[in-house]
C-alpha cells in the first residue's frame, strides 16, 4: 500500500482501490465509486447525538494496513472517533465512543451534525 500526503488529503493506493482521505473535512473519496461521509451519530436512551466539531484525519497506523482516525466533539459523549481501517483489499468503518449512557440509535456514514463549514442538519 502506498500513501502520498498533501496539505489537503492523504492519497492511498492499495493496488485494488484508490482512496483520497480529506485532511480538511470528514470525508473520503473511493475513486470511481462513492464519497464516504465520516460522520457518525451514537444516540443514547436520554437523547440524540449531534456532532458539533470535527477534527482533521489522523494517520493512526501504517503497516500491513492503514488506520485513519477522525476525532469529533459531540453532545452525548466525552470522546467520539470514527475510524477508517484500510487493508490491501478492504475498507472498514467503525465508531468508538467513551462516556456514560445507554446506547440508542447508531448511524454510520451520516447523522446529525454541525460541520466546520457551518452546514447543519441530518447528513446521510
Amino acid at each position: 500500500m502506498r500513501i502520498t500526503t498533501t496539505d489537503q488529503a492523504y492519497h492511498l493506493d492499495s493496488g485494488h482501490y484508490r482512496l483520497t482521505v480529506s485532511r480538511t473535512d470528514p470525508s473520503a473519496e473511493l475513486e470511481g465509486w462513492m464519497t464516504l461521509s465520516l460522520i457518525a451519530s451514537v444516540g443514547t436512551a436520554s437523547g440524540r447525538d449531534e456532532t458539533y466539531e470535527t477534527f482533521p484525519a489522523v494517520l493512526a497506523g501504517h503497516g500491513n494496513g492503514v488506520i485513519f482516525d477522525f476525532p469529533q466533539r459531540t453532545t452525548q459523549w466525552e470522546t467520539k472517533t470514527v475510524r477508517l481501517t484500510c487493508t490491501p483489499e478492504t475498507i472498514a468503518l467503525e465508531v468508538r465512543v467513551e462516556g456514560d449512557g445507554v446506547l440508542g440509535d447508531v448511524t454510520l456514514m451520516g447523522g446529525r451534525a454541525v460541520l466546520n463549514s457551518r452546514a447543519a442538519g441530518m447528513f446521510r
Side-chain angles (χ1 to χ4, degrees), residues 31-69:
E31 187 177 297
W33 287 90
M34 68 179 77
T35 299
L36 303 170
S37 171
L38 300 172
I39 296 171
S41 289
V42 183
T44 67
S46 63
R48 64 183 177 197
D49 181 34
E50 186 166 326
T51 300
Y52 62 84
E53 187 173 15
T54 60
F55 297 96
V58 176
L59 182 58
H62 189 287
N64 206 21
V66 179
I67 297 170
F68 297 99
D69 281 340

Side-chain angles (χ1 to χ4, degrees), residues 7 19 35 42 45 55 66 75 85 87 90 95:
D7 289 342
L19 187 71
T35 299
V42 183
F55 297 96
V66 179
T75 57
T85 303
T87 70
T90 65
V95 61

Side-chain angles (χ1 to χ4, degrees), residues 63-85:
N64 206 21
V66 179
I67 297 170
F68 297 99
D69 281 340
F70 294 83
Q72 300 172 6
R73 287 202 179 138
T74 174
T75 57
Q76 291 294 320
W77 302 103
E78 292 173 25
T79 66
K80 178 168 70 174
T81 302
V82 174
R83 176 169 277 186
L84 188 65
T85 303

